Amino acid sequence: MKAVVYKGPNDVSVEEIPDAKIEHPADVLVRITSANICGSDLHMYEGRTSFEPGRSFGHENLGEVVETGPAVSKVKVGDRVVLPFNIACGFCKNCERGFTNYCLTMQPEPKLAGAAYGFADMGPYQGGQAEYLRVP
Amino acid sequence: MLADIFPTGWHATEMAGVYPGDSVVIYGAGPVGLMAAYSAIIKGAGKVMVVDRQNDRLKLAEEIGAIPVNDSEVDPVEFVKDQTLGFGADRGCECVGYQAHDPGGTEHPNMTLNRLVDSVRFVGGLGVVGVFLPQDPGGPDKLEQQGQVAFDYGNYWFKGQTMGSGQCPVKKYNRALRDLIAGGKASPSFLVSHELPLDQAPEGYKNFDSREDGWTKVVLHPAGT
Ligand SMILES: [Zn+2]
Ligand SMILES: [Zn+2]
């Protein structure tokens, strides 16, 4: 699939990367219809973060559900969805208190909290400036 | 808009404690700053002042009913005090972050934070959603490289202000904000300037990053329009 890939400071290109796919039973796969460029993308674009070259940007994503994992019950194929930029579990200590911006489950680094799509220091997740997005 | 910027702008006003009638100063008229201004207006703020120096962005701020303040022409702190009987605004939002810079382009990571403290009244509330980082190896000085900012803490403490900071928990607000849009009470898409196919993303980044006139918000459409 095509995606906006960060090459280095002030350099992005639209390239083929491996297709997004369901990786966990609770995942949903979304065909992206709109993905905005954000001011926080610009910090990364300018090389002023630890964002790794080769990863894709995009955390302001809208689209249509094209596939759901076997553990997904509410969201259906064909639903039009807008995705919070935060990736959160909903059941950790912080999520339970409403702080889905500091989820402890979806951030793999134990010293950090919070996860997001295509974002420096917010987990390994790809961005939505692409044809498809895996939504954990 | 509901994935980030509208909830994030709303969150800034929540952390600042915006209440009907309040005077509110907002630093930054980028997408998040404009959404914070829009949120404050929806909440019934009495006066909303937006500080920036990009005329296209200030024009949008004016169109939604805020007072534009061009900090390359006036001292924004003095302007806000003049507008608030000398007291300073009731609430303030920081929507710029660590790459705040003067009109000459030199970065001062503490610039908007200290102006915020200075232009908000005693016991006022501050909401900081502009990005600051624990390390910034490319920063302009040693302090900033270690993620530290020369913050006017004395002034902040002396004034008894409170500050909220950090990223927005989008799910706290997005259902309500969606219903505001669906109910015809909010149209945050007023700031979208460009809708491009995915292939034109490099052009979008380049123009948005260099603050080209009229490039206020870029939406990419990977599946075509
Ligand atoms: Zn964003
Ligand atoms: Zn969680």
Side-chain angles (χ1 to χ4, degrees):
Chain A
M1 67 173 187
K2 286 197 296 186
V4 176
V5 174
Y6 174 65
K7 310 294 287 181
N10 303 305
D11 187 10
V12 292
S13 72
V14 178
E15 297 182 357
E16 282 292 326
I17 66 167
D19 285 346
K21 59 179 197 301
I22 303 275
E23 296 176 20
H24 180 279
D27 287 353
V28 160
L29 190 67
V30 171
R31 185 177 68 95
I32 297 296
T33 53
S34 296
N36 310 334
I37 303 177
C38 179
S40 38
D41 290 328
L42 298 181
H43 297 302
M44 298 184 268
Y45 174 71
E46 293 178 11
R48 287 290 294 277
T49 70
S50 59
F51 197 75
E52 303 87 349
R55 287 184 63 196
S56 58
F57 286 139
H59 61 268
E60 301 185 3
N61 306 312
L62 287 80
E64 183 182 353
V65 175
V66 291
E67 193 182 340
T68 58
V72 175
S73 52
K74 186 175 178 214
V75 176
K76 302 274 183 263
V77 170
D79 284 356
R80 303 288 294 232
V81 290
V82 51
L83 306 161
F85 78 86
N86 324 102
I87 301 174
C89 72
F91 53 75
C92 71
K93 182 172 180 176
N94 290 349
C95 281
E96 279 185 352
R97 296 178 182 187
F99 296 112
T100 53
N101 46 340
Y102 295 108
C103 177
L104 297 165
T105 310
M106 303 312 288
Q107 165 60 262
E109 167 55 56
K111 289 188 179 123
L112 302 179
Y117 304 98
F119 218 106
D121 298 321
M122 306 285 291
Y125 311 98
Q126 292 286 33
Q129 292 170 12
E131 291 179 283
Y132 294 91
L133 179 68
R134 173 197 167 218
V135 178
Chain B
M1 307 299 110
L2 284 173
D4 180 356
I5 58 173
F6 193 16
T8 295
W10 191 272
H11 185 54
T13 66
E14 285 285 306
M15 292 192 297
V18 173
Y19 192 79
D22 279 346
S23 54
V24 184
V25 57
I26 289 162
Y27 287 91
V32 169
L34 287 170
M35 287 295 105
Y38 197 51
S39 299
I41 289 163
I42 289 170
K43 289 178 173 185
K47 182 178 274 192
V48 178
M49 296 156 279
V50 180
V51 183
D52 202 289
R53 62 188 73 116
Q54 303 289 332
N55 282 318
D56 52 346
R57 297 173 168 197
L58 288 172
K59 189 163 164 284
L60 287 175
E62 190 168 19
E63 282 170 14
I64 58 171
I67 300 171
V69 185
N70 188 325
D71 76 342
S72 68
E73 293 167 0
V74 299
D75 177 342
V77 174
E78 291 308 312
F79 183 93
V80 171
K81 287 182 178 170
D82 283 349
Q83 288 282 326
T84 53
L85 304 172
F87 290 111
D90 297 307
R91 315 285 170 186
C93 300
E94 203 283 353
C95 307
V96 179
Y98 70 112
Q99 288 189 264
H101 51 276
D102 61 33
T106 305
E107 286 188 15
H108 305 284
N110 62 354
M111 187 178 80
T112 45
L113 280 177
N114 289 345
R115 283 176 168 177
L116 187 72
V117 170
D118 210 2
S119 57
V120 169
R121 63 188 293 156
F122 282 65
V123 308
L126 314 176
V128 180
V129 294
V131 172
F132 291 84
L133 296 176
Q135 292 97 31
D136 176 18
D141 55 46
K142 268 233 155 61
L143 213 55
E144 165 61 17
Q145 286 162 17
Q146 297 164 3
Q148 298 177 354
V149 171
F151 177 56
D152 284 346
Y153 188 74
N155 201 17
Y156 168 76
W157 187 92
F158 191 70
K159 293 174 95 169
Q161 295 171 340
T162 50
M163 181 193 283
S165 54
Q167 285 190 339
C168 171
V170 170
K171 283 181 82 74
K172 190 171 173 186
Y173 311 111
N174 64 348
R175 195 183 299 270
L177 298 182
R178 177 201 66 187
D179 291 346
L180 268 182
I181 296 170
K185 305 295 186 194
S187 301
S189 58
F190 72 85
L191 53 68
V192 175
S193 59
H194 290 79
E195 303 199 45
L196 305 176
L198 189 67
D199 286 333
Q200 287 178 33
E203 181 193 333
Y205 270 92
K206 197 160 169 290
N207 286 289
F208 186 47
D209 186 55
S210 56
R211 315 292 192 269
E212 288 301 325
D213 190 51
W215 288 74
T216 51
K217 185 72 180 174
V218 181
V219 179
L220 302 172
H221 293 298
T225 32

